[in-house]
Amino acid sequence: MIENYQLRYFLAIVETGSFTKAAKRVFVTQPTLSAGIKKLETNLGSKLFDRTSKRVFLTESGTRFVPHAKSILYQLNLAEADIKSTGRTQLLRLGLLMTISADIVRNILTTFTRDVSGLVIELFEGTEQEIQNRLGEGKIDIALTILRPTLKLDMTPLYKEGYGIALADHHPLAKKENIHPAEFAGEPTIVRSRCEILSETSRFFTDHNVRPRLVFNTAQDERALSMVAAGVGSTTMPDHYKMDGVKRIKMIGYDFEREIGLVKTSYQLSEERSNLIDQFISFTKSHLPEITYARNNQ
Amino acid sequence: MIENYQLRYFLAIVETGSFTKAAKRVFVTQPTLSAGIKKLETNLGSKLFDRTSKRVFLTESGTRFVPHAKSILYQLNLAEADIKSTGRTQLLRLGLLMTISADIVRNILTTFTRDVSGLVIELFEGTEQEIQNRLGEGKIDIALTILRPTLKLDMTPLYKEGYGIALADHHPLAKKENIHPAEFAGEPTIVRSRCEILSETSRFFTDHNVRPRLVFNTAQDERALSMVAAGVGSTTMPDHYKMDGVKRIKMIGYDFEREIGLVKTSYQLSEERSNLIDQFISFTKSHLPEITYARNNQ
DNA sequence: TTTATCAATAGATAATATCTATAACGATGG
DNA sequence: CCATCGTTATAGATATTATCTATTGATAAA
């Protein structure tokens, strides 16, 4: 088999045009280099160089061998650089459902990254479907998302929560804890375009002959929440979303719920990566109290 | 530096999950394989495997090293296969102007390929412009084409020839050696769409108030010649085209000429390839008598 | 506790990369 | 024509390393 030192000798000759100069370049004596090239040529069954008393020229085979040699040595250097550069860095690729407030995981991650040395987290934010796709493709290792019985993946339940109304705390309806759907008619409404129950919500209001008035459409839940606080309009959101100036109340009949948990990819991971994920799951469960305020809202 | 035998040991372990099985697979003893992996890990500064008493698992670094190892060994096998498969095959990439009959080069190539061992010829047929492009891009080594003073390439003149009329030998005008353009009016005409003087020919007839009647349009000169022989129509062609049943005559004023020769690419080639091309040029010149019938037609 | 299995280590050996010394060859200048 | 110079190839010796056998150490299973 071709040896890598032979490739280095070969390319040194190509670059210098001389066995003697090439030998100096790769720090061996000229007979050593000559013998190395002889072994390479014997192995390949072809002359790679035409020797003259003045210069060395590539043969047809030698010409075709040059890109191969360069590619192999490039790949070797790349491999060494890759493994050497990161040392013991550990990578966790985390998916996060975009209708879960970033605050939920901020506390967990702040502490987890402090406790685990050399940790790098790649975060992916997406819809429920986007996250399921990425888990299926092995592009993320684990995700904080809605648990569904149809998922054939390893799931760790964390908490359940309902959906409710968010309105400015100076809003007339803010004095109540529960309102009838009819009280919402004509209400300026903010739509969260990426909500996973958007179509169910639309059907709910239609069924109750309630036509809210659309005043803002956004994909960013935090921006929706801010506009609620500003009195631009009201919206429906999962219970865990809170902000100063915002009152969270319930609407009779609007009984949607969801269960949030961690879902692992089905891809087989290295032992080290599996251990890290198990470590993350345990850590998240044990730090659950940090987020149970979102679970029991009544 | 990484040694290739270490890559083979590494991938054998990945595939089998065991040092002992891997050693058997690559035909060394288990301590040999163990030592090889130790050297690789020392060189890279990272553990590649976590050892247990039951199975061996990849570490994070090991996981990332797998594609590198596979790629390198793949490139090595590719290089060996490429050089070993062709042995001492010599490649000549020849361009051929499509308005030069294949017969012209058939005799040259038949003899040349017999005389040169291990020769493979890649033939490219195209218009004058296409051939110039390919020469400029180094995609062909040499071409048999029209010589132009504007070409800044190495040219070897071979012969000069004119253009004339080709018509069926039972055609009334076939009795003459020279005809006036006016005698061609209303004549059924075959157009060779890739002729390098197509526009000049068109202007010539227009200037002489001659309007031939188009009956066939083709890119294939040999097919045009066959249809002439069949009496479908007449055409204009370089003088060297001949066929049984076809009479070649001249038209007064239709004085176009071209010089044919070999043109080398400007790309720098290997010594072996350069030698082959010089050999081809010498051979073609020395066999020129085989095609001079096309040069002196009167 | 004993046994079996697997990987790591120690020391010996075989194979090979590399060294020094020199031969062989071709180009150049007198 | 001959001497000289520069370059590559060969021969034999040496240094280095891949591989061997023998054995130890660790762990799981009976």
Side-chain angles (χ1 to χ4, degrees):
Chain A
M1 179 177 243
I2 296 168
E3 300 300 342
N4 298 330
Y5 76 89
Q6 293 167 350
L7 299 178
R8 293 191 301 110
Y9 294 178
F10 173 77
L11 288 178
I13 300 169
V14 170
E15 284 156 23
T16 59
S18 155
F19 277 47
T20 304
K21 287 172 179 168
K24 286 192 171 72
R25 176 169 292 199
V26 297
F27 309 104
V28 298
T29 62
Q30 177 269 321
T32 298
L33 183 135
S34 184
I37 293 302
K38 180 172 187 179
K39 289 195 76 174
L40 180 58
E41 287 175 330
T42 302
N43 176 19
L44 292 176
S46 291
K47 278 286 188 187
L48 299 174
F49 296 102
D50 278 328
R51 285 84 152 157
T52 73
S53 56
K54 276 281 187 219
R55 260 183 83 82
V56 172
F57 296 95
L58 281 163
T59 62
E60 183 65 25
S61 298
T63 301
R64 288 195 345 269
F65 192 67
V66 172
H68 289 298
K70 285 180 170 176
S71 176
I72 292 162
L73 289 186
Y74 172 75
Q75 295 281 350
L76 279 163
N77 288 328
L78 201 60
E80 285 201 23
D82 180 12
I83 305 306
K84 281 174 171 171
S85 69
T86 52
R88 303 209 55 69
T89 302
Q90 294 185 92
L91 178 67
L92 177 67
R93 300 173 299 171
L94 176 66
L96 179 63
L97 184 67
M98 70 199 310
T99 59
I100 296 177
S101 172
D103 285 350
I104 291 285
V105 298
R106 188 166 57 198
N107 292 335
I108 296 173
L109 293 184
T110 301
T111 312
F112 190 66
T113 56
R114 188 184 60 206
D115 287 358
V116 177
S117 64
L119 178 66
V120 168
I121 298 182
E122 282 181 5
L123 195 64
F124 171 76
E125 193 169 65
T127 65
E128 188 178 356
Q129 188 59 54
E130 286 167 343
I131 283 181
Q132 284 183 20
N133 290 347
R134 292 232 167 190
L135 284 169
E137 289 159 11
K139 287 176 174 170
I140 52 179
D141 304 319
I142 193 165
L144 186 65
T145 186
I146 297 168
L147 305 191
R148 302 284 185 186
T150 49
L151 282 174
K152 292 184 173 58
L153 297 172
D154 191 346
M155 296 183 279
T156 303
L158 291 180
Y159 64 91
K160 286 180 179 174
E161 70 176 337
Y163 295 78
I165 303 296
L167 38 72
D169 58 12
H170 59 274
H171 191 286
L173 292 175
K175 298 185 182 74
K176 303 185 173 195
E177 296 295 319
N178 282 282
I179 62 170
H180 283 89
E183 296 182 79
F184 212 68
E187 209 36 57
T189 301
I190 292 167
V191 170
R192 295 166 41 253
S193 61
R194 297 298 167 81
C195 181
E196 61 273 354
I197 60 164
L198 190 59
S199 58
E200 285 91 337
T201 301
S202 181
R203 187 157 51 251
F204 173 85
F205 283 125
T206 301
D207 287 351
H208 289 76
N209 285 321
V210 171
R211 175 164 284 164
R213 174 179 169 178
L214 177 65
V215 295
F216 184 36
N217 187 328
T218 180
Q220 299 180 50
D221 288 359
E222 274 81 4
R223 181 168 295 181
L225 198 58
S226 295
M227 293 303 102
V228 166
V232 167
S234 304
T235 191
T236 59
M237 299 184 100
D239 288 338
H240 76 270
Y241 279 102
K242 289 182 188 296
M243 182 178 277
D244 287 343
V246 173
K247 178 70 186 296
R248 297 307 311 269
I249 62 173
K250 282 292 192 181
M251 181 175 290
I252 295 167
Y254 193 73
D255 295 329
F256 301 103
E257 267 197 346
R258 70 181 185 182
E259 180 168 26
I260 297 296
L262 292 167
V263 185
K264 277 167 85 174
T265 183
S266 52
Y267 262 53
Q268 187 174 6
L269 303 165
S270 69
E271 189 72 5
E272 194 171 358
R273 185 77 63 93
S274 287
N275 285 347
L276 182 62
I277 289 167
D278 289 342
Q279 199 177 337
F280 178 71
I281 293 172
S282 296
F283 188 88
T284 301
K285 284 161 85 177
S286 69
H287 284 73
L288 199 55
E290 300 259 7
I291 59 176
T292 50
Y293 70 86
R295 185 169 55 182
N296 299 316
N297 198 41
Q298 53 276 41
Chain B
M1 180 179 240
I2 296 168
E3 302 298 343
N4 298 330
Y5 76 90
Q6 292 166 349
L7 299 179
R8 293 193 299 109
Y9 295 0
F10 172 77
L11 289 178
I13 300 170
V14 170
E15 285 156 23
T16 60
S18 153
F19 277 47
T20 305
K21 286 172 181 167
K24 286 192 172 73
R25 178 170 290 199
V26 296
F27 309 103
V28 298
T29 62
Q30 177 269 321
T32 298
L33 184 134
S34 184
I37 293 302
K38 182 171 185 177
K39 290 196 75 175
L40 179 59
E41 287 176 330
T42 302
N43 177 19
L44 293 175
S46 291
K47 279 285 187 184
L48 301 173
F49 297 103
D50 277 327
R51 286 82 152 157
T52 72
S53 56
K54 279 288 186 205
R55 261 182 82 81
V56 172
F57 296 95
L58 280 163
T59 61
E60 183 66 25
S61 297
T63 302
R64 287 193 349 268
F65 192 67
V66 171
H68 289 298
K70 284 181 171 175
S71 176
I72 293 162
L73 288 186
Y74 172 76
Q75 295 281 350
L76 280 163
N77 287 330
L78 202 59
E80 284 200 23
D82 180 13
I83 306 305
K84 281 175 170 170
S85 70
T86 52
R88 305 211 48 72
T89 303
Q90 295 185 91
L91 179 67
L92 177 67
R93 298 174 300 170
L94 176 66
L96 180 63
L97 183 68
M98 69 198 309
T99 60
I100 295 177
S101 169
D103 287 346
I104 292 283
V105 297
R106 187 165 60 199
N107 292 336
I108 296 174
L109 294 185
T110 300
T111 312
F112 189 67
T113 56
R114 187 185 62 207
D115 286 358
V116 176
S117 64
L119 177 67
V120 169
I121 298 181
E122 281 181 6
L123 196 64
F124 170 77
E125 193 169 65
T127 65
E128 187 177 358
Q129 189 58 54
E130 285 168 344
I131 284 181
Q132 282 182 23
N133 290 348
R134 291 228 165 194
L135 285 169
E137 289 160 13
K139 286 175 175 169
I140 52 178
D141 304 319
I142 192 165
L144 187 65
T145 187
I146 297 169
L147 305 191
R148 302 285 187 185
T150 52
L151 281 173
K152 292 186 174 57
L153 297 172
D154 191 345
M155 296 184 279
T156 303
L158 293 180
Y159 64 91
K160 285 179 181 173
E161 71 178 334
Y163 295 80
I165 304 297
L167 39 73
D169 57 12
H170 59 272
H171 192 285
L173 292 175
K175 296 185 183 75
K176 302 184 169 192
E177 297 295 322
N178 284 281
I179 62 170
H180 284 90
E183 300 183 76
F184 213 68
E187 213 27 64
T189 300
I190 292 167
V191 169
R192 294 165 42 253
S193 61
R194 298 298 169 82
C195 183
E196 61 275 350
I197 60 163
L198 192 58
S199 55
E200 286 89 338
T201 300
S202 181
R203 187 158 51 251
F204 173 85
F205 284 125
T206 301
D207 287 352
H208 288 78
N209 286 319
V210 170
R211 175 163 285 164
R213 173 179 170 180
L214 175 64
V215 294
F216 186 36
N217 186 327
T218 181
Q220 300 180 52
D221 287 359
E222 273 82 4
R223 183 167 292 182
L225 197 57
S226 294
M227 294 303 99
V228 167
V232 166
S234 304
T235 193
T236 59
M237 301 185 97
D239 289 338
H240 76 270
Y241 279 103
K242 290 180 186 299
M243 181 179 281
D244 285 342
V246 172
K247 178 69 187 296
R248 299 303 313 268
I249 62 173
K250 282 294 195 183
M251 182 175 288
I252 294 166
Y254 192 73
D255 295 330
F256 301 103
E257 269 198 345
R258 70 182 187 181
E259 181 169 24
I260 297 296
L262 292 166
V263 184
K264 275 167 89 172
T265 183
S266 52
Y267 262 54
Q268 186 170 5
L269 303 165
S270 69
E271 190 70 5
E272 193 172 357
R273 185 78 66 93
S274 286
N275 285 346
L276 182 61
I277 289 169
D278 289 341
Q279 198 177 337
F280 178 70
I281 293 172
S282 297
F283 187 88
T284 301
K285 285 162 83 176
S286 69
H287 285 72
L288 199 55
E290 301 255 11
I291 57 173
T292 47
Y293 70 87
R295 184 169 56 181
N296 300 316
N297 198 42
Q298 55 274 41

